[in-house]
Amino acid sequence: MIDAGHGGNDPGAVYGSVYEKVIAFDIAARLASTLSNTYGYNARMTRSNDVYLSLAQRVELTKSYKGSAFVSIHNNSSTNTSYHGHEVLVPTGESYTTNPYISASRSLGAAINRELGVRIPTIRNRGVKYQNVYVVGKNSVPSTLVEYGFISNSNDRSHLTSTTYRQRMADATASGIHQFMSTYK
């Protein structure tokens, strides 16, 4: 399951005319295509257009489609424009988390983070972060959330608005997912 963050009346992070929901959808569509065409997975997206879905609906779609892994696509933002880089969020072991696949989620996140770091060294690697995020912590399959960069940072934004870099982000993420799926039983 590929989850393009935000959508509809929820734009996510905004910087001028740059909207997170648009970038997230584009990366998600590229990722789903790469997973299907390069690796042969039946990649499904939580949304196929610019619509709003609640966090619970995103988790429920994973169950109804019988997904085997879940990756949510996002961009970061900060009032401090010097913050930059990609990071991958995985579930904590705290009581908030009901996802039974904490360890597998962490492995999935680590594989994606590693591939992003290797394939796109021009974006700072902020690492894997343990954070209580609904779509990760409340899911029923190995799950992670990828923040591809800060929309508020000029260097990251130039990558996020480049179709070439968005394809590289999708390809790196697909490679990480494939590495995880190849070893996950």
Side-chain angles (χ1 to χ4, degrees), residues 19-40:
Y19 288 78
E20 178 182 5
K21 70 177 184 175
V22 174
I23 294 170
F25 184 81
D26 185 68
I27 294 171
R30 291 170 185 275
L31 174 57
S33 176
T34 300
L35 285 169
S36 296
N37 297 329
T38 302
Y39 297 103

Side-chain angles (χ1 to χ4, degrees), residues 2 10 19 32 42 44 55 60-61 91 101 103 113 121 127 135 150 154:
I2 308 303
D10 174 11
Y19 288 78
N42 179 17
R44 304 287 300 259
L55 300 177
E60 193 54 43
L61 281 169
Y101 297 99
S103 178
N113 184 69
V135 293
F150 283 77
S154 60

